[in-house]
Amino acid sequence: MTDDLTTIELDHFYPHPPEKVWKALTTPELFARWLMPATGFEPVPGNEFRMQTQPMPGAGFSGNVRGTVLEAIAPKRLSMTWNDAESDIETGWVITWQLEPEGTGTRVLFSHSGFDPDDVRAQRVRTIMSKGWSGIATSLGAVIDSF
């Protein structure tokens, strides 16, 4: 993780080829197992989709996510927007998974950017989500191991 107040960054190694990691990142049934169920998700730039998870009222999060795929370059890079579907305010968040082949496995460089460093609420959410994304990276590994 970095000390950058605008971004969450994680670096994980998975002992699987990039194609297998890509499959877990982009197949809706697998995606639902490590992140959350998505409606309408396809790894195609411009594709709009929805996801639903537990609300976090203390963080001002409804639990309903609206996203748009920005980039989908198989099996190298997936990038999407991430907004609270119930909010009129755009977060400006961008979620990116960069897959780098490493030996017989894959290094995944993850970033969640767009947190306002001067907004106390945004920084509280960044702290909460930093912990959450670490756990999700572990869940992703378990899903990749399972197929």
Side-chain angles (χ1 to χ4, degrees):
M1 217 163 328
T2 166
D3 289 336
D4 178 0
L5 297 177
T6 65
T7 306
I8 298 167
E9 291 181 331
L10 301 171
D11 178 335
H12 281 275
F13 178 80
Y14 299 102
H16 303 285
E19 293 78 12
K20 190 169 183 177
V21 176
W22 181 259
K23 184 176 180 178
L25 287 175
T26 60
T27 303
E29 297 78 26
L30 297 172
F31 188 88
R33 288 175 45 199
W34 63 268
L35 186 57
M36 66 183 87
T39 303
F41 176 79
E42 292 181 43
V44 176
N47 180 75
E48 296 181 1
F49 60 95
R50 299 284 178 129
M51 296 182 287
Q52 188 165 5
T53 190
Q54 288 291 100
M56 294 176 20
F61 175 55
S62 73
N64 296 309
V65 176
R66 176 177 38 83
T68 302
V69 176
L70 299 173
E71 263 186 304
I73 305 167
K76 297 179 180 183
R77 185 177 174 89
L78 178 63
S79 184
M80 62 184 67
T81 63
W82 183 286
N83 287 287
D84 188 326
E86 305 296 320
S87 177
D88 295 333
I89 301 168
E90 297 284 315
T91 62
W93 291 345
V94 174
I95 312 292
T96 303
W97 292 268
Q98 179 74 35
L99 285 63
E100 303 285 343
E102 187 173 303
T104 59
T106 305
R107 182 152 309 276
V108 176
L109 305 172
F110 168 85
S111 70
H112 179 164
S113 63
F115 294 95
D116 183 343
D118 299 320
D119 182 324
V120 173
R121 183 177 162 270
Q123 289 304 303
R124 182 170 25 119
V125 170
R126 186 180 71 82
T127 299
I128 292 166
M129 292 185 87
S130 292
K131 295 172 187 163
W133 281 120
S134 292
I136 289 168
T138 300
S139 296
L140 172 59
V143 169
I144 298 167
D145 288 344
S146 75
F147 68 93

